[in-house]
């Protein structure tokens, strides 16, 4: 759990760093960030471990992209990607702890 908290704090720091470089963000950057977030979410969702807040943050990123706020879209998309990756890592850690496997059918006993 401590690793997850440290990762969330690191993600927050990176998110704040994203605001500092917002002036150079383009629509292409936003599309790449959205695609990366969607891929990470699909991987985590496939093992039924996606956190409930992740799709909400992703939808906010899509809305910002549609509104032309590419800097905000990139920050939110990266946040969604980080949340998805953290959820997957949490699932793997808990599966290892309890001696089960994460599969496309969810958690299965070894």
């Amino acid at each position: 759990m401590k690793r997850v908290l440290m990762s969330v704090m690191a993600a927050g720091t990176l998110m704040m760093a994203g605001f500092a470089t917002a002036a150079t963000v383009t629509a292409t950057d936003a599309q790449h960030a959205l695609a990366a977030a969607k891929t990470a979410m699909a991987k985590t969702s496939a093992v039924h471990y996606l956190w409930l807040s992740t799709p909400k943050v992703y939808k906010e990123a899509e809305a910002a992209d549609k509104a032309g706020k590419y800097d905000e879209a990139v920050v939110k998309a990266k946040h969604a990607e980080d949340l998805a990756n953290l959820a997957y890592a949490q699932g793997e850690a808990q599966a290892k702890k309890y001696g089960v496997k994460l599969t496309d059918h969810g958690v299965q006993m070894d």
Side-chain angles (χ1 to χ4, degrees), residues 10-42:
T13 302
L14 290 173
M15 187 170 81
M16 294 307 292
F19 285 117
T21 60
T24 60
V25 177
T26 66
T28 303
D29 296 330
Q31 288 301 313
H32 288 299
L34 286 166
K38 194 169 191 172
T39 300
M41 288 171 55

Side-chain angles (χ1 to χ4, degrees), residues 3 21 24 29 34 49 53 55 63 67 70 73 80 87 102 107 109-110:
R3 261 190 229 160
T21 60
T24 60
D29 296 330
L34 286 166
Y49 226 87
S53 60
Y70 304 122
L102 288 181
V107 177
M109 302 298 280
D110 277 340

Side-chain angles (χ1 to χ4, degrees), residues 60-79:
E60 291 173 3
E62 284 184 317
D65 180 50
K66 288 179 184 173
K69 299 177 183 177
Y70 304 122
D71 54 338
E72 182 180 337
V74 168
V75 170
K76 289 186 182 287
K78 286 184 179 182
H79 186 198

